[in-house]
Amino acid sequence: MLTGRDEVGQRSETVRRANLSAIVRELHVRGPLSRSELVARTGLTRSAIRALIGELAAGDLVVEEPAVRSGTPGRPSPVVRLLAEDVVVLALEIAVDSLAVAIVGAGGVVHERRRVDRPRGHSTVEAVVADLAELARTVRGRRPPDEVPVRIGIAVAAIVSRTGGLVRFAPNLGWVDVPLGERLGEALGLGVPIDVANESDLGALAEFRRGAARGADDVLYTHAEVGVGGGIIVDGRPLDGVGGYGGEIGHMPINPAGRACRCGSIGCWETEVGEGALLARAGYPLDGGRAALDAVIADAAAGRPAAIAALEETGFWLGLGLAGLVNILNPRRVVLGGLFARIHPFVGDIVERGLDRFALVAPRQLVSVVPSTLGVDAPLVGAAELAFEPLLADPAAWLARRGALVGLASA
Ligand SMILES: [Zn+2]
């Protein structure tokens, strides 16, 4: 049983942890801030901010630097920033036709990044894990030799279980129930926790924190490569569903007279707006891949009618599907990623007209549709954000672990 004093102590400890989290989150998302700005943004008192910053600085998570005088009266407030060089995560991505690795510092500073193309089609888990581990070694080789990432995040074009890093189904790779987190953990041998998530969910997180959806709390991100994926942010939080499988908007039934889908159903949205649909309309084989896609875009840019017509029809189905999603979700911003961002210059007006015609007036008036600003790297940036999340949620626990490690090292 807790005594009154224990209860008060426990409450104040909970408050301290929440306040540390609020400060670190602000610095991570917004970049360096003065003490006065932190007071304004967190609602904490000046003295509370001073004490908490002191604690974070003692744990080598932040540093305070003298402010540059801005010409306004009064004493300049020191600027606080996260130590992006000392606190890093490893971000990995398994996309349809490439693998990517980045080392990202606190605050989202990308220290190193490398993407390599690989042929499409089914690959064994062993081959992909070995290639990705090799790429990670190359990228880490450009960093200080004693640098160890605090955590690892992986984006993969697959349906991923929320817990345990289990890939349930990756149609492009031909994987079913693969313990990807475990396998990569063994291959990387770094002994730090690994989080795995769907690439579109992570693209949404990245655009929300650092890209085209900054400042919007309700966001729909949709990303097309071979398949079509979606990530949804509601009131600033990802919408995952019960098992983490939510947001699979590519398999929203939209055309009962349409083509068979890879998922086993007929006329899913991705059979009308995915890469194969566009290629088929432009007269290329469905599986023509990147070269055929480049040809369609180049033809459209040169004004060739067949390519323009193929893009316009794709744009129609894109607008129709988005209208339904806007009615359901009432997002502030829709961010188009991957192939959708590439074709946006050709289909943007058609998508807008589709929303005017098919969506309800009230949610339609509140939404804007924009291309991704992070481009092909959105899921990779999101993988880094995923890996930072436990540190942002509870920096006190991180400080305690770091303190114990430093204590061990100096003992
Ligand atoms: Zn489907």
Side-chain angles (χ1 to χ4, degrees):
M1 201 185 125
L2 292 176
T3 65
R5 188 181 294 174
D6 287 340
E7 274 182 45
V8 170
Q10 214 166 58
R11 250 199 325 272
S12 74
E13 174 60 10
T14 308
V15 169
R16 170 182 157 266
R17 287 185 167 223
N19 290 344
L20 285 169
S21 169
I23 292 170
V24 172
R25 205 175 273 282
E26 285 292 332
L27 295 170
H28 179 72
V29 173
R30 298 180 193 282
L33 294 171
S34 70
R35 277 197 208 169
S36 327
E37 286 168 318
L38 280 168
V39 167
R41 294 203 168 273
T42 59
L44 294 168
T45 63
R46 198 163 270 281
S47 61
I49 289 282
R50 192 187 313 120
L52 294 164
I53 294 294
E55 203 177 327
L56 293 168
D60 292 332
L61 191 51
V62 307
V63 64
E64 272 197 293
E65 288 163 345
V68 183
R69 275 199 177 276
S70 60
T72 49
R75 206 149 44 99
S77 177
V79 170
V80 186
R81 68 172 174 85
L82 291 169
L83 280 168
E85 280 295 324
D86 293 3
V87 183
V88 304
V89 297
L90 184 63
L92 312 174
E93 186 190 356
I94 302 170
V96 170
D97 46 21
S98 65
L99 298 175
V101 172
I103 291 171
V104 180
V109 181
V110 179
H111 293 308
E112 290 288 344
R113 169 171 35 193
R114 181 128 190 249
R115 181 176 296 275
V116 293
D117 290 339
R118 57 184 289 282
R120 280 188 189 179
H122 292 192
S123 303
T124 64
V125 181
E126 288 72 24
V128 171
V129 164
D131 288 353
L132 203 50
E134 181 57 37
L135 189 61
R137 268 189 291 278
T138 307
V139 169
R140 290 192 66 228
R142 298 186 207 147
R143 297 288 301 164
D146 57 345
E147 179 177 274
V148 178
V150 295
R151 211 170 171 98
I152 299 167
I154 306 170
V156 57
I159 293 175
V160 182
S161 172
R162 188 208 302 269
T163 48
L166 178 68
V167 168
R168 296 297 309 273
F169 179 45
N172 297 303
L173 296 158
W175 296 354
V176 175
D177 290 338
V178 170
L180 182 65
E182 204 180 298
R183 303 292 278 276
L184 265 165
E186 285 161 12
L188 292 165
L190 292 169
V192 298
I194 299 187
D195 302 303
V196 186
N198 169 270
E199 59 169 0
S200 294
D201 290 344
L202 294 180
L205 180 62
E207 295 288 347
F208 166 63
R209 286 238 175 104
R210 316 218 169 264
R214 271 190 88 133
D217 274 348
D218 292 272
V219 179
L220 167 65
Y221 170 84
T222 177
H223 172 107
E225 285 183 291
V226 173
V228 173
I232 297 162
I233 307 271
V234 176
D235 200 17
R237 291 169 186 279
L239 183 81
D240 295 329
V242 177
Y245 312 139
E248 284 295 333
I249 56 179
H251 300 284
M252 173 172 71
I254 200 162
N255 182 6
R259 281 193 290 116
C261 182
R262 297 175 303 159
C263 73
S265 186
I266 287 174
C268 291
W269 197 33
E270 93 170 32
T271 68
E272 298 295 347
V273 299
E275 186 187 287
L278 174 61
L279 293 180
R281 288 183 185 122
Y284 288 89
L286 250 71
D287 57 357
R290 203 188 280 181
L293 200 60
D294 290 347
V296 174
I297 306 260
D299 282 355
R304 300 211 168 88
I308 289 172
L311 281 163
E312 284 179 350
E313 196 181 340
T314 305
F316 166 83
W317 288 101
L318 186 55
L320 180 67
L322 287 179
L325 291 164
V326 163
N327 286 350
I328 295 166
L329 298 168
N330 185 200
R332 171 70 68 190
R333 209 154 300 158
V334 171
V335 181
L336 302 178
L339 170 62
F340 292 153
R342 263 193 101 182
I343 67 173
H344 183 260
F346 303 99
V347 305
D349 290 346
I350 295 166
V351 169
E352 296 291 338
R353 286 205 295 279
L355 288 172
D356 292 341
R357 186 170 157 204
F358 298 116
L360 291 165
V361 172
R364 164 66 185 119
Q365 285 174 338
L366 293 172
V367 72
S368 57
V369 180
V370 295
S372 150
T373 52
L374 298 169
V376 71
D377 281 330
L380 185 65
V381 170
E385 293 299 324
L386 177 73
F388 273 120
E389 193 52 41
L391 168 63
L392 305 183
D394 191 5
W398 186 84
L399 290 174
R401 270 201 307 278
R402 176 116 155 181
L405 285 177
V406 171
L408 275 179
S410 59

